[in-house]
Amino acid sequence: MTASSKTEFYADRAVDQIENSIKIIYKVIWWIWPTVFWIYFFGLWFLPKDIQKVIGDIGSRLLAKIPVSDTILYSIAFLPFWLWMVGLLLSRAVKIVRKYFLYPKTDFTETALVSIEKKERIVHRSGRNGSYSYLLWIKHPVSQTHIKVDVESADAFEKIKEEEQVQIKHLLTPTNIIYLKVSNL
C-alpha cells in the first residue's frame, strides 16, 4: 500500500491573526514578567537590612489582609503559561469551527485559479533536529490580500513551483478562507 501525498490545504487569515496576536502578547508578558522580578529582587538585595525588615513586615501584613489563598497566588505566578494555553486552545477552536462547521468546502464556494506568489520554508530551531514549516503565499481573489497556506508535507512543497497556477475554493465574500487544491501531485 503506497501513501498518497495530501493535495488539499486550508488557510484562514483570521486564525493567523489570532495566533500572531497571542504570540505578541506572550512575548510582551515574558519580557515584563522577568524584568519586574529582577528589579524587585535586586532592589531588595541592595537595600539596607532595616529597610528590608520594614518592607517585609508591610508585605506580610498586606498578604494577611488579602483574602486570597496561596493556590490562587501560585496560579497567578504561572499566568504566562495559562495565557499561552488559552491562546493555543482559542486559535485551534476558531480554526476547527471555521474550517469544518461554518464554511463547508462544497457549499457556497467559488473556484478560482491563482498563482503562487512566494514559497517559504521556515526552520524551527526548538526541536532537536529542527522542524520545518512550509508556507505558500497566494492572493485571495476577492479581497486581494496575501494569505499564507501551510503545506504539511515536504514532498508537496517541493513539487509546487512559484508562479504556478493552483486551484482554490473560496467564498464570494472577503472572508479570507481558502481551500487550496494542488492537482499535479
Side-chain angles (χ1 to χ4, degrees):
M1 187 157 68
T2 61
S4 62
S5 61
K6 185 176 178 182
T7 61
E8 188 169 293
F9 306 102
Y10 173 78
D12 191 345
R13 190 158 182 241
V15 173
D16 291 340
Q17 288 174 340
I18 290 171
E19 289 176 350
N20 289 340
S21 62
I22 289 168
K23 285 178 187 176
I24 290 169
I25 291 169
Y26 189 67
K27 285 179 182 178
V28 167
I29 287 173
W30 271 111
W31 276 104
I32 292 172
W33 213 256
T35 305
V36 169
F37 170 77
W38 286 116
I39 289 171
Y40 180 75
F41 178 76
F42 283 120
L44 287 178
W45 185 283
F46 294 115
L47 286 176
K49 294 286 185 194
D50 55 342
I51 295 176
Q52 283 181 7
K53 182 162 177 26
V54 170
I55 290 175
D57 291 340
I58 292 171
S60 61
R61 274 189 265 135
L62 283 175
L63 284 176
K65 289 181 183 180
I66 298 175
V68 177
S69 69
D70 290 342
T71 308
I72 293 173
L73 292 175
Y74 294 139
S75 63
I76 290 173
F78 288 108
L79 183 65
F81 172 74
W82 299 123
L83 288 176
W84 174 71
M85 289 298 292
V86 167
L88 183 67
L89 291 173
L90 177 69
S91 66
R92 295 280 165 95
V94 168
K95 183 175 182 176
I96 288 169
V97 167
R98 286 173 63 103
K99 183 176 181 180
Y100 295 111
F101 298 112
L102 291 181
Y103 303 105
K105 289 182 265 187
T106 56
D107 299 339
F108 309 113
T109 57
E110 184 75 21
T111 304
L113 279 175
V114 295
S115 62
I116 303 294
E117 300 283 326
K118 181 172 79 167
K119 287 174 57 173
E120 186 176 7
R121 185 178 92 168
I122 299 173
V123 179
H124 303 287
R125 303 204 189 280
S126 59
R128 193 183 272 180
N129 295 337
S131 59
Y132 300 100
S133 290
Y134 303 101
L135 303 176
L136 302 175
W137 292 89
I138 62 172
K139 276 189 180 177
H140 192 281
V142 177
S143 64
Q144 295 299 315
T145 57
H146 283 91
I147 298 177
K148 69 176 182 179
V149 180
D150 189 14
V151 178
E152 289 116 21
S153 66
D155 296 335
F157 180 77
E158 295 301 326
K159 290 179 183 176
I160 299 171
K161 306 291 183 222
E162 282 189 26
E163 302 298 325
E164 180 181 355
Q165 296 283 320
V166 290
Q167 181 183 12
I168 64 166
K169 289 183 181 179
H170 65 93
L171 295 176
L172 294 174
T173 59
T175 56
N176 298 321
I177 296 175
I178 284 182
Y179 296 93
L180 181 138
K181 182 150 178 79
V182 182
S183 59
N184 63 353
L185 296 180

